[in-house]
Amino acid sequence: MLGSGFIARFYADSLAAQRRKDVLVSVYSRSMERAEKFAKDYGLPHYSNSLAEVVENPDVDVVVIALSNDLHLGAVEACAKAGKHVLCTKPLGRTGEEAKKMLEMVEKAGIMGGYLEDLCYTPKFLKSLNSVKAGSIGRVLWAKSRETHPGPHSDWFWNMEQSGGGAIVDLGCHCIEISRNFIGKDIKPVEVMCWAATQVHPIAAEDHAIGLVKYANGVIGQFEVSWCFRGGMDLRDEVMGSEGTIWLNNFLRTGFEMFSTGKGTNYVAEKAESSSGWLFPVGDEVHELGYSHMFTDMFESIEQKREPLESFYDGYVVNCIIDAAYRSAKSRNWEPVQLDDWRGRTDVTEGHEFASYDDQYYLIKEEILPNGEKKLILKDKTTGAVERRDL
Ligand SMILES: NC(=O)c1ccc[n+]([C@@H]2O[C@H](COP(=O)([O-])OP(=O)(O)OC[C@H]3O[C@@H](n4cnc5c(N)ncnc54)[C@H](O)[C@@H]3O)[C@@H](O)[C@H]2O)c1
């Protein structure tokens, strides 16, 4: 484990949750004291303040990167050099250029590069993605994802050099990849329109943004991200299809509501702002946030020599979309997604599939009125005339 902070602990908590055969053997932290504390808390036989020593430890087969964004590239380089499989937290890079270097390094070294995008592994997400793939909501038209909270917990997030940006790079990476999964990873993201602003915090980066990602088939992905939201952590997804709809709420109001006068010292949930009043705790946070399914997929991929559901290539595509979002926020125009390495379909165009009523008509709408009357609105395929037909 490289890093001993917030996400390293979430990862350590979830690593053995499902398979129970994966063992943490060593931790790197630049502070020997924190490395020792982490090793003690999780029963690790080894710890060090030398990254190379941890990566090169012969007992280590797989390295998990849980360091600040600016350190991902160097850590991946060390893993590639040592020939160790590597699982990197999000965002993969601060930019598409950085992510591409990491992708090339793991591919050249012949090691697996797993992208730790936990929100694409939540139980609700996995099940809803299966429904989408089974055609239950028809053609996906719009996939929206929102992550907002009152701001991150460590200083480096607020330093643009270290983080690479604000809420877009930090939270947008989740939302973009969620939408991309629903829309289809083989569909090319083409262009981005993004609004971003610094509304509350005295920082150089944006603390609030909304973006639209247009895909080659004309489908829209939407992200809504903020470090200004008050009231905890809001994680919601919405997918609109030609035959149905999916709404997911992963964190607030998930069916567990509690009132407390504030007595006790209870941890409620990540980014919860209060421990009194009406509260929305989360049952098994590491599971509901996707960490356990994520590590199961990662380790099984290594064993089965297959790509994980979320790979370094996905991290690279996400970074390129984020780059376009930043360019758009500045230029106020739709900006192209610059993907030098596109591995998906190239035969997709913006098509229209209209519902046919019969050989002569398209069905525009079927309606039942409050008095029970039924009617159809039809369009003649040849003349273009729109007609009403009472049933
Ligand atoms: N849901 C998620 O997937 C999720 C959630 C939170 C954070 N993250 C990601 O995890 C990574 C770490 O974030 P965090 O929340 O754990 O932050 P954190 O500040 O709690 O921990 C960061 C770790 O990096 C180390 N570090 C920072 N600067 C360093 C330096 N100059 N040299 C050596 N070590 C240094 C810190 O000591 C600490 O161990 C980030 O890339 C972040 O985006 C992912």
Side-chain angles (χ1 to χ4, degrees):
M1 178 70 67
L2 304 184
S4 59
F6 176 85
I7 201 66
R9 284 178 176 268
F10 259 113
Y11 289 165
D13 285 335
S14 54
L15 257 165
Q18 283 185 351
R19 288 165 35 107
R20 302 191 179 276
K21 60 175 179 175
D22 308 305
V23 184
L24 265 173
V25 293
S26 182
V27 61
Y28 154 75
S29 177
R30 66 197 147 147
S31 135
M32 213 48 179
E33 208 184 321
R34 282 198 298 268
E36 185 181 4
K37 169 96 174 62
F38 188 96
K40 197 165 159 245
D41 288 349
Y42 292 99
L44 274 55
H46 183 258
Y47 57 88
S48 171
N49 62 0
S50 156
L51 187 142
E53 189 187 317
V54 170
V55 172
E56 287 161 18
N57 181 327
D59 290 336
V60 169
D61 302 315
V62 185
V63 179
V64 179
I65 300 177
L67 296 165
S68 52
N69 300 351
D70 54 323
L71 301 177
H72 295 181
L73 179 61
V76 171
E77 198 172 3
C79 297
K81 200 169 139 227
K84 303 282 172 86
H85 297 299
V86 56
L87 312 179
C88 183
T89 194
K90 63 81 209 168
L92 185 57
R94 287 172 295 182
T95 60
E97 197 186 341
E98 263 191 5
K100 187 150 189 256
K101 282 186 192 154
M102 294 185 230
L103 173 66
E104 286 168 355
M105 279 175 196
V106 296
E107 290 187 342
K108 204 164 156 219
I111 52 176
M112 193 188 91
Y115 180 47
L116 298 180
E117 177 41 83
D118 61 296
L119 294 181
C120 294
Y121 288 95
T122 71
K124 287 175 185 168
F125 176 83
L126 291 174
K127 191 152 185 180
S128 61
L129 187 61
N130 279 344
S131 300
V132 169
K133 287 188 172 163
S136 307
I137 66 161
R139 266 187 309 137
V140 172
L141 307 171
W142 177 37
K144 179 173 123 164
S145 176
R146 169 188 174 95
E147 177 162 0
T148 62
H149 61 53
H153 43 269
S154 287
D155 49 348
W156 66 264
F157 283 94
W158 304 91
N159 176 331
M160 221 161 135
E161 271 299 298
Q162 285 175 285
S163 60
I168 299 177
V169 76
D170 180 36
L171 308 178
C173 57
H174 289 301
C175 302
I176 287 167
E177 189 59 353
I178 287 167
S179 298
R180 213 183 132 236
N181 267 282
F182 283 129
I183 292 166
K185 285 190 184 177
D186 55 345
I187 309 295
K188 193 172 183 185
V190 182
E191 52 183 354
V192 180
M193 169 62 85
C194 179
W195 163 85
T198 312
Q199 291 186 316
V200 170
H201 305 92
I203 54 170
E206 74 292 347
D207 57 16
H208 193 170
I210 297 171
L212 298 175
V213 183
K214 193 166 172 209
Y215 285 78
N217 57 357
V219 176
I220 284 291
Q222 179 171 337
F223 63 83
E224 302 173 357
V225 293
S226 188
W227 284 349
C228 307
F229 174 79
R230 304 311 304 262
M233 185 159 76
D234 188 16
L235 295 178
R236 278 182 286 164
D237 308 325
E238 183 174 335
V239 196
M240 188 172 94
S242 55
E243 301 291 332
T245 302
I246 291 172
W247 290 337
L248 299 182
N249 190 341
N250 281 304
F251 222 66
L252 290 175
R253 303 239 179 209
T254 55
F256 182 174
E257 302 184 11
M258 179 174 111
F259 179 85
S260 170
T261 57
K263 274 239 179 229
T265 52
N266 210 15
Y267 169 79
V268 178
E270 182 184 341
K271 307 275 185 310
E273 291 205 77
S274 170
S275 53
S276 67
W278 277 104
L279 305 169
F280 311 110
V282 178
D284 180 349
E285 219 167 308
V286 294
H287 187 59
E288 292 188 43
L289 283 175
Y291 297 112
S292 25
H293 283 297
M294 177 176 80
F295 281 112
T296 293
D297 177 47
M298 293 294 160
F299 292 123
E300 284 183 357
S301 309
I302 292 171
E303 286 170 357
Q304 296 162 8
K305 299 190 179 7
R306 62 164 170 87
E307 280 285 288
L309 293 178
E310 293 295 323
S311 69
F312 269 31
Y313 182 71
D314 296 308
Y316 158 71
V317 174
V318 169
N319 267 126
C320 292
I321 296 174
I322 290 171
D323 289 350
Y326 279 118
R327 286 199 306 276
S328 169
K330 222 173 190 174
S331 72
R332 297 165 163 249
N333 290 316
W334 283 95
E335 290 288 343
V337 179
Q338 287 164 3
L339 274 169
D340 315 338
D341 182 357
W342 173 243
R343 300 178 183 181
R345 287 171 61 185
T346 51
D347 59 339
V348 180
T349 48
E350 280 188 45
H352 301 286
E353 287 171 38
F354 299 126
S356 231
Y357 179 68
D358 57 20
D359 287 349
Q360 194 183 348
Y361 291 102
Y362 291 119
L363 174 65
I364 296 182
K365 188 77 180 32
E366 188 173 352
E367 189 78 49
I368 303 179
L369 299 175
N371 64 3
E373 274 176 34
K374 285 185 188 165
K375 64 178 177 178
L376 298 176
I377 309 208
L378 303 173
K379 179 172 171 175
D380 191 303
K381 291 180 183 173
T382 321
T383 65
V386 175
E387 299 170 21
R388 165 189 171 145
R389 186 175 300 173
D390 295 318
L391 291 176

